[in-house]
Amino acid sequence: MSHSATLTLQSSLSQLPDQNRLRIFSGSANEPLAQEVATYLGLQLGPMVRKRFADGELYVQIQESIRGCDVYLVQPCCHPVNDNLMELLIMIDACRRASARQITAVIPYYSYARADRKTAGRESITAKLVANLVTQAGASRVLAMDLHSAQIQGYFDIPLDHVYGSPVLIQYIASKELSNLVVVSPDVGGVARARAFAKKLNDAPLAIIDKRRHSHNEAEVLNLIGDVKGKTAVMVDDLIDTAGTMLEGSRLLREEGADQVYACATHAVLSGPARERLFSGDFEEVIVSNTIPVPGHEDIEPLTILSVANLIGEAISRIHEESSVSSMFR
């Protein structure tokens, strides 16, 4: 099911003297999210032409003057990843050649982020490669949400503002007034994320699933560190891809005596068998955000989608008025 819950924020953009110099454009990846962001800012999406040639090449043209303007391009690099990434690069290049004063790439979902270091010989670090591409295309700044790993911020040689979708998820979980709550990290790498999540939920206790991955998109759950017996377990991750981790995690939590199991993630990638796994899994609810569009989400019974448009819109407002973005999360 879809859910309309959003953080209550009030944009101060209308007070800015140079509001007419702010432009927001959307790529084709998630135009409904971009429209929500523009509405929060009290703006209209800028007109542009996007089309594809017969051989598959993409074409972008900005349909209004943006000379001297601060331009924000909203484009998550979700499926089809390569097309959406290339479209973002072309949009950036078009704005640079149109003499925009500043170009901010608003990337709610940053692709190729899982290859953020070398774990074996002769591998590419694609997270750094994408950072180079965005920078070389002409972006002045990047606004990203819930990067897969924090070090990706250091891959950019331009300013990057990193915002989090967790306030929306936490607000929704808190509104349910769940009793005997325990926050669960589905792997050791997500402990910091889960700990921060638990702290915002009245310092809820923490549990960790010890997971060993044999290959990409394949995980084997081994054991649980912590106590979940008789409790309401909330698994927290940055994304749900094939949902294998969440499915195996929910089974382990049930075996260890959890009364209820919820799953939370910012990015609903939902590749391959993910929909079937979420539908067949023993979840009370799977809670995600709308950084990535989820076609046919009505058919995934336990799925709830929350909007992060207000968070992104407020971050844009603060960047434009040159005030603190990090203070949004204190």
Side-chain angles (χ1 to χ4, degrees):
M1 64 178 173
S2 181
H3 199 282
S4 60
T6 57
L7 281 187
T8 303
L9 297 168
Q10 182 62 48
S11 174
S12 57
L13 196 60
S14 59
Q15 303 170 8
L16 297 178
D18 60 342
Q19 181 184 359
N20 63 336
R21 287 192 173 273
L22 174 61
R23 299 287 190 274
I24 181 168
F25 294 89
S26 174
S28 59
N30 196 350
E31 194 164 346
L33 173 62
Q35 184 60 65
E36 285 187 57
V37 172
T39 299
Y40 175 81
L41 295 170
L43 301 171
Q44 296 291 326
L45 287 178
M48 61 184 296
V49 171
R50 299 186 303 265
K51 65 182 181 181
R52 189 182 295 270
F53 292 107
D55 63 352
E57 290 182 5
L58 299 168
Y59 172 85
V60 169
Q61 183 190 29
I62 307 299
Q63 298 257 279
E64 66 179 2
S65 174
I66 55 173
R67 185 178 298 273
C69 294
D70 292 341
V71 177
Y72 294 81
L73 306 174
V74 182
Q75 176 80 334
C77 296
C78 50
H79 178 79
V81 175
N82 296 333
D83 283 358
N84 287 329
L85 174 58
M86 192 65 200
E87 183 179 329
L88 173 63
L89 300 177
I90 295 172
M91 290 166 63
I92 294 171
D93 184 68
C95 291
R96 180 175 63 87
R97 296 177 187 280
S99 300
R101 186 180 73 169
Q102 178 170 281
I103 304 165
T104 301
V106 182
I107 311 177
Y109 173 67
Y110 186 84
S111 61
Y112 288 106
R114 282 170 282 191
D116 56 5
R117 64 195 185 282
K118 288 185 70 172
T119 58
R122 299 171 296 283
E123 283 186 337
S124 171
I125 304 177
T126 54
K128 172 58 175 170
L129 173 62
V130 171
N132 289 344
L133 291 171
V134 170
T135 303
Q136 290 301 314
S140 313
R141 175 184 294 270
V142 170
L143 173 59
M145 175 167 281
D146 276 340
L147 293 169
H148 187 60
S149 56
Q151 69 259 28
I152 293 174
Q153 298 174 70
Y155 296 170
F156 286 88
D157 296 324
I158 55 177
L160 183 144
D161 292 290
H162 188 206
V163 297
Y164 303 92
S166 55
V168 172
L169 303 176
I170 289 168
Q171 185 184 65
Y172 179 75
I173 289 288
S175 71
K176 299 180 77 67
E177 299 182 348
L178 301 172
S179 60
N180 216 5
L181 195 68
V182 57
V183 175
V184 181
S185 174
D187 53 37
V188 175
V191 171
R193 181 185 302 108
R195 184 182 292 117
F197 202 92
K199 185 176 181 180
K200 295 291 186 180
L201 290 170
N202 299 318
D203 277 326
L206 187 67
I208 304 167
I209 294 174
D210 181 21
K211 178 185 70 176
R212 303 291 171 87
R213 189 178 295 279
H214 297 300
S215 62
H216 298 298
N217 295 125
E218 290 185 16
E220 178 185 354
V221 173
L222 295 182
N223 53 60
L224 179 72
I225 304 169
D227 179 29
V228 299
K229 188 173 182 179
K231 297 183 178 181
T232 299
V234 178
M235 281 194 293
V236 179
D237 211 345
D238 63 319
L239 62 86
I240 300 176
D241 189 357
T242 61
T245 295
M246 288 296 185
L247 180 62
E248 294 301 320
S250 69
R251 289 173 178 171
L252 177 64
L253 293 171
R254 294 288 186 179
E255 291 172 3
E256 295 291 331
D259 282 346
Q260 294 182 310
V261 178
Y262 289 79
C264 287
T266 302
H267 309 299
V269 180
L270 304 188
S271 306
R275 293 167 181 265
E276 180 182 342
R277 286 172 173 174
L278 292 180
F279 187 80
S280 62
D282 196 5
F283 299 101
E284 263 66 39
E285 198 169 1
V286 178
I287 305 159
V288 298
S289 81
N290 63 342
T291 56
I292 297 174
V294 185
H297 59 81
E298 300 88 353
D299 299 330
I300 310 175
E301 188 173 338
L303 191 68
T304 296
I305 301 175
L306 308 177
S307 177
V308 292
N310 287 9
L311 274 174
I312 295 174
E314 180 62 19
I316 290 174
S317 174
R318 293 185 181 214
I319 292 169
H320 191 63
E321 65 180 358
E322 298 182 341
S323 63
S324 172
V325 173
S326 61
S327 62
M328 293 168 55
F329 304 98
R330 292 174 187 162

